[in-house]
Amino acid sequence: MALVPTRIQLNRPLPPLTYLAPEGLPEGVRVRVRLRTTAAMGLAMGPDPAPPAARLRPIEGILDPFPLLPPKLRELHRFAARYYGCLEAHLLPLSLPQALLPHWEAEEDGQPLSFHRDREAWDVLAERGEVWHRDPAILPTLLHRAALRGVGLTEVRLTGAPHPPRVTPAQAKVLLALEDAGGALMEPELLEAAGVGMSVLGTLEKRGLVVRMKRVDLLAQRREAGADRTVTLNEEQRAALEAVALGTFGVHLLQGVTGSGKTEVYLALAERALAANRRVLWLVPEIGLTGRLLSRLEARFPGRVAVGHAGLNAGEKHGDVTRLLFNGASLFVGVRNAVLAPLRDIGLIVVDEEHEGSYKSEEHPRIHARDLAIKRAQIEDCPIVLGSATPSLESWQAAQEGRYRLLRLRQRPAGITLPKVEIVDLRDVYREARRKVILAPPLMQALGETLTRGEQALLLLNRRGYENFWMCRACGKALGCPHCAISLTYHRGDFRLRCHLCGHETAPPEACPDCGAEHLRGVGEGTEQVEEHLRQLFPSARILRLDRDTTRRRGSLEAGLLAAEAGQVDILVGTQMLAKGHTFPRLTLVGVLNADQGLKVADFRASERTFQLLTQVAGRAGRAELAGRVILQTYSPDHPAITFALAQDFEGFAASELPFREGLGYPPFTALSLYRAEADTPRQAHEALEAFRQRLSVPGLRVLGPLEAGVPRVRDRWRMHLLLKGGRGALSEVLRRHPLDPGGSVSLDRDPLQFG
Ligand code: ADP
Ligand code: ZN
């Protein structure tokens, strides 16, 4: 077989390099190469039409019998790399489980972990391929048979990692037994079939060839919990269902308040896509909110659901992505990165709560999962449904312009009414009490009544800690973080002042470090203080605080939410993590302690975010048979974000907000590229951006800056911004003409959501 120059994308932040590889090596197959003296893994990217003149090295091995990344996913990678200004190598780890991206430097038993080294590699591989190419479609059934039998037991699965050249005879027996069983067996059966002892499994697990996991009857549990009833779609739901044409690309925006039945529409659509033998990609915004959804999915599509969900144990996550590689699941649910999951033949994409900021990565590569999902649907030529009660203004405007098809659910199912929303003007409360009040009398009274009736209340305050910051009354200085340009937050529980950006912490001083006066005083209450206050007011109530401080341990948020769902909590108090997802059947009162908190932020989306948060948290009240009541405490009762939330009027809000955006030239009327510089001194950061600005040669852009970032210093690094406004095409052209140095101090945030 002839060796030809082939581009290889290494699993490193480097552009593709050229090696010699067998002619016809499929794109996307993993190969092992030598980079200077170390072994590295890469993806074959096709022949290099213009190879460098230097002498090329041959690849050292081919690691897969078929490409792990489907060709359409590679196309998405190429698009994302161009659009976000990153390398395809940066996207690889988002698409494949870590176990398939090994550090090849770690050689085993002194033997390099390569598949085949000789010139005949390709032929030998083809032969091997006969084994591996065995119809991948049979794997799922076998896997699931095994999984179902495995209630409460440990299951052993092949990881899908290629065999190393050398295994002991005992290890080979295990691998063959697993292959014969379709990739997975329960541990006792496997030990019996292979006739080996436990220690062999341990070794294979250490070598990354098998995984062992407990299948605590998770699936069965989910199935049972989700099988509560069958639903007959109402007229609006049916209309939405029929409006989505399978088998062709189209973007649909499904707008309807929480509880209006959007999920039932997604489920009906998924059923049709699966019946047509296509797969479904289902994106959700957050960990910890999917428990109920997984039950509904597993009940509806038993054994066909895979989860890419960082909140579950690593075994399930890893195993499930592996199932995708072998076509072993037909519906994949996951958070942000799931948009890049190696799913083939996609027939439907769902993006639930499409407006959620968590779909945007705030780390390089700064992808937006919703936007990439739309591109993916286009590549797959399938419909995509974006759902929300409060769509992003970007999606809403696209629907207004007819680029997306708008589908609406205006009613809640029978028997469920919208909560009654009231406003308490904190200015009046202050005038009367002559001091700041955490809970104004109407909210206090409503709380008391709710507790008396044995119902639940939820109080939202979007600030954790005890006091927001400490200030010296003598000199007026706030105690700041020595490494960041923000003040420290007081946490009474452990008597610490803490930086919420870098984690720096210190014991609260007795006196002001600046002027020495002993007049330090806390300003601005946080959730910790509210909790304390509530405990004094309602000593017999069961109070649960949920914020990032109390939910640091994995699973504790889920546990808290479940306790609340089971009625073991009377008052829930916490930050915005309470606003989403979960249904609390006995929750009848929602109080927002400071509704305008988010409005003070210098961000053109402040109003939109506040409206979304208030509408969402209001939707928590009275979802079941009990009528709900919502009380918003605010200093600005006339602000549109608050008045429209009061009326639960998304359309009115959008109509009032969009003209501002248009007038100021902000999205959705222009696109933004935020160039961020980080350096040891403000001057270096400024100079890097200024140099970039001077070089800019693309016409039709508005350039703002360099300006200080919202938080000009974090972890001792100075941060500056340069904001480019213009059309998407022009912004892409900037990237093409002025590519960024991956190791440089300037990075790109395309379609930015955060300006901190
Ligand atoms: P959303 O996704 O918009 O929040 P869901 O689809 O979760 O709404 O619906 C909320 C609740 O109402 C769920 O328990 C769901 O089963 C139920 N439901 C939705 N549509 C119907 C219907 N047509 N008939 C009866 N119950 C329904
Ligand atoms: Zn800090």
Side-chain angles (χ1 to χ4, degrees), residues 229 231-234 237 256-264 266 292 296 413 416 623:
R229 64 187 137 160
V231 159
T232 313
L233 296 187
N234 65 33
Q237 287 171 316
V257 295
T258 314
S260 60
K262 297 185 292 298
T263 307
E264 293 296 339
Y266 310 145
R292 168 103 188 105
R296 280 164 89 176
I416 300 176
R623 287 197 63 187

Short mmCIF file of all heavy atoms in Angstrom, two decimals, residues 229 231-234 237 256-264 266 292 296 413 416 623, ligand 1:
data_model
loop_
_atom_site.label_atom_id
_atom_site.label_comp_id
_atom_site.label_asym_id
_atom_site.label_seq_id
_atom_site.Cartn_x
_atom_site.Cartn_y
_atom_site.Cartn_z
N ARG A 229 -48.21 8.75 33.51
CA ARG A 229 -49.45 8.81 32.75
C ARG A 229 -49.14 9.01 31.27
O ARG A 229 -48.06 9.42 30.89
CB ARG A 229 -50.30 9.98 33.24
CG ARG A 229 -49.58 11.30 32.99
CD ARG A 229 -50.33 12.44 33.61
NE ARG A 229 -49.36 13.31 34.26
CZ ARG A 229 -49.61 14.57 34.56
NH1 ARG A 229 -50.80 15.07 34.35
NH2 ARG A 229 -48.70 15.32 35.12
N VAL A 231 -50.28 11.15 27.93
CA VAL A 231 -50.81 12.48 27.73
C VAL A 231 -51.40 12.55 26.33
O VAL A 231 -50.80 12.06 25.38
CB VAL A 231 -49.66 13.49 27.90
CG1 VAL A 231 -49.98 14.80 27.23
CG2 VAL A 231 -49.35 13.69 29.37
N THR A 232 -52.58 13.12 26.22
CA THR A 232 -53.12 13.42 24.89
C THR A 232 -52.83 14.88 24.62
O THR A 232 -53.25 15.75 25.37
CB THR A 232 -54.64 13.19 24.86
OG1 THR A 232 -54.91 11.93 25.47
CG2 THR A 232 -55.17 13.20 23.44
N LEU A 233 -52.11 15.12 23.55
CA LEU A 233 -51.70 16.50 23.27
C LEU A 233 -52.93 17.38 23.03
O LEU A 233 -53.88 16.95 22.39
CB LEU A 233 -50.79 16.54 22.05
CG LEU A 233 -49.44 15.83 22.17
CD1 LEU A 233 -48.58 16.11 20.95
CD2 LEU A 233 -48.69 16.24 23.44
N ASN A 234 -52.86 18.60 23.54
CA ASN A 234 -53.96 19.53 23.25
C ASN A 234 -53.76 20.13 21.85
O ASN A 234 -52.77 19.84 21.17
CB ASN A 234 -54.08 20.59 24.36
CG ASN A 234 -52.85 21.49 24.41
OD1 ASN A 234 -52.21 21.78 23.40
ND2 ASN A 234 -52.51 21.94 25.62
N GLN A 237 -50.50 22.00 21.13
CA GLN A 237 -49.35 21.07 21.10
C GLN A 237 -49.34 20.29 19.80
O GLN A 237 -48.29 20.09 19.19
CB GLN A 237 -49.41 20.11 22.30
CG GLN A 237 -49.05 20.78 23.62
CD GLN A 237 -49.33 19.87 24.80
OE1 GLN A 237 -50.38 19.21 24.86
NE2 GLN A 237 -48.41 19.83 25.75
N GLY A 256 -43.55 29.05 25.23
CA GLY A 256 -44.68 28.76 26.09
C GLY A 256 -44.20 28.78 27.52
O GLY A 256 -43.08 28.36 27.80
N VAL A 257 -45.04 29.27 28.43
CA VAL A 257 -44.61 29.40 29.82
C VAL A 257 -44.28 28.03 30.40
O VAL A 257 -44.67 27.00 29.85
CB VAL A 257 -45.71 30.07 30.69
CG1 VAL A 257 -45.92 31.50 30.24
CG2 VAL A 257 -46.99 29.28 30.66
N THR A 258 -43.55 28.04 31.51
CA THR A 258 -43.21 26.80 32.19
C THR A 258 -44.51 26.04 32.48
O THR A 258 -45.46 26.62 32.97
CB THR A 258 -42.52 27.12 33.52
OG1 THR A 258 -41.54 28.11 33.26
CG2 THR A 258 -41.87 25.90 34.10
N GLY A 259 -44.51 24.76 32.12
CA GLY A 259 -45.69 23.96 32.40
C GLY A 259 -46.71 23.99 31.28
O GLY A 259 -47.76 23.34 31.37
N SER A 260 -46.40 24.69 30.20
CA SER A 260 -47.38 24.76 29.11
C SER A 260 -47.33 23.52 28.23
O SER A 260 -48.15 23.37 27.32
CB SER A 260 -47.15 26.02 28.27
OG SER A 260 -45.85 25.99 27.71
N GLY A 261 -46.37 22.64 28.48
CA GLY A 261 -46.36 21.38 27.75
C GLY A 261 -45.36 21.30 26.62
O GLY A 261 -45.50 20.48 25.71
N LYS A 262 -44.29 22.09 26.70
CA LYS A 262 -43.26 22.05 25.65
C LYS A 262 -42.59 20.68 25.61
O LYS A 262 -42.37 20.12 24.54
CB LYS A 262 -42.20 23.13 25.91
CG LYS A 262 -42.73 24.55 25.85
CD LYS A 262 -41.63 25.58 25.99
CE LYS A 262 -40.98 25.60 27.36
NZ LYS A 262 -41.91 25.96 28.46
N THR A 263 -42.26 20.16 26.80
CA THR A 263 -41.54 18.88 26.83
C THR A 263 -42.36 17.77 26.16
O THR A 263 -41.81 16.92 25.48
CB THR A 263 -41.19 18.51 28.28
OG1 THR A 263 -40.50 19.62 28.85
CG2 THR A 263 -40.31 17.29 28.34
N GLU A 264 -43.69 17.82 26.34
CA GLU A 264 -44.53 16.81 25.69
C GLU A 264 -44.42 16.92 24.17
O GLU A 264 -44.47 15.92 23.46
CB GLU A 264 -45.99 16.95 26.13
CG GLU A 264 -46.24 16.61 27.61
CD GLU A 264 -45.94 15.15 27.95
OE1 GLU A 264 -45.91 14.29 27.05
OE2 GLU A 264 -45.71 14.86 29.15
N TYR A 266 -41.67 18.03 22.54
CA TYR A 266 -40.37 17.45 22.18
C TYR A 266 -40.46 15.92 22.16
O TYR A 266 -39.90 15.27 21.30
CB TYR A 266 -39.25 17.80 23.17
CG TYR A 266 -39.07 19.24 23.56
CD1 TYR A 266 -38.67 19.55 24.87
CD2 TYR A 266 -39.25 20.29 22.67
CE1 TYR A 266 -38.46 20.85 25.27
CE2 TYR A 266 -39.04 21.60 23.07
CZ TYR A 266 -38.66 21.87 24.38
OH TYR A 266 -38.45 23.15 24.79
N ARG A 292 -35.96 14.46 36.50
CA ARG A 292 -37.33 14.21 36.09
C ARG A 292 -37.41 13.95 34.58
O ARG A 292 -38.12 13.07 34.12
CB ARG A 292 -38.18 15.41 36.50
CG ARG A 292 -39.54 15.47 35.94
CD ARG A 292 -40.59 15.05 36.98
NE ARG A 292 -41.88 14.94 36.31
CZ ARG A 292 -42.46 13.77 36.01
NH1 ARG A 292 -41.90 12.65 36.37
NH2 ARG A 292 -43.62 13.75 35.39
N ARG A 296 -38.79 10.67 32.39
CA ARG A 296 -39.79 10.73 31.32
C ARG A 296 -39.24 10.11 30.04
O ARG A 296 -39.95 9.40 29.33
CB ARG A 296 -40.19 12.18 31.06
CG ARG A 296 -41.21 12.70 32.07
CD ARG A 296 -41.32 14.20 32.06
NE ARG A 296 -42.32 14.69 31.11
CZ ARG A 296 -42.64 15.99 30.99
NH1 ARG A 296 -42.05 16.88 31.76
NH2 ARG A 296 -43.54 16.37 30.12
N PRO A 413 -51.94 23.44 30.80
CA PRO A 413 -52.93 22.37 30.81
C PRO A 413 -54.00 22.64 31.87
O PRO A 413 -53.76 23.33 32.85
CB PRO A 413 -52.12 21.13 31.16
CG PRO A 413 -50.74 21.46 30.73
CD PRO A 413 -50.57 22.93 30.92
N ILE A 416 -54.41 24.23 35.88
CA ILE A 416 -53.25 24.92 36.41
C ILE A 416 -53.31 26.38 35.96
O ILE A 416 -53.45 26.67 34.79
CB ILE A 416 -51.96 24.26 35.90
CG1 ILE A 416 -51.94 22.80 36.36
CG2 ILE A 416 -50.75 24.99 36.41
CD1 ILE A 416 -50.76 22.03 35.85
N ARG A 623 -47.50 25.34 40.66
CA ARG A 623 -47.54 24.57 39.42
C ARG A 623 -48.56 23.44 39.49
O ARG A 623 -49.09 23.04 38.49
CB ARG A 623 -46.17 24.01 39.09
CG ARG A 623 -45.23 25.09 38.64
CD ARG A 623 -44.05 24.51 37.94
NE ARG A 623 -44.45 23.80 36.72
CZ ARG A 623 -43.62 23.08 36.00
NH1 ARG A 623 -42.38 22.94 36.37
NH2 ARG A 623 -44.03 22.48 34.91
P1 ADP B 1 -42.91 22.53 29.91
O1 ADP B 1 -41.87 21.69 29.24
O2 ADP B 1 -43.47 23.58 28.99
O3 ADP B 1 -42.49 23.08 31.23
P2 ADP B 1 -44.24 20.00 30.34
O4 ADP B 1 -44.29 19.37 29.01
O5 ADP B 1 -43.22 19.52 31.30
O6 ADP B 1 -44.17 21.59 30.21
O7 ADP B 1 -45.69 19.89 30.99
C1 ADP B 1 -45.95 20.23 32.34
C2 ADP B 1 -46.83 19.14 32.95
O8 ADP B 1 -48.08 19.09 32.28
C3 ADP B 1 -46.21 17.77 32.82
O9 ADP B 1 -46.47 17.03 33.97
C4 ADP B 1 -46.92 17.16 31.63
O10 ADP B 1 -46.96 15.77 31.68
C5 ADP B 1 -48.30 17.78 31.71
N1 ADP B 1 -48.90 17.92 30.40
C6 ADP B 1 -48.35 18.52 29.32
N2 ADP B 1 -49.18 18.47 28.28
C7 ADP B 1 -50.29 17.83 28.70
C8 ADP B 1 -51.53 17.45 28.08
N3 ADP B 1 -51.78 17.74 26.80
N4 ADP B 1 -52.42 16.79 28.83
C9 ADP B 1 -52.18 16.51 30.12
N5 ADP B 1 -51.04 16.82 30.76
C10 ADP B 1 -50.11 17.48 30.07
#
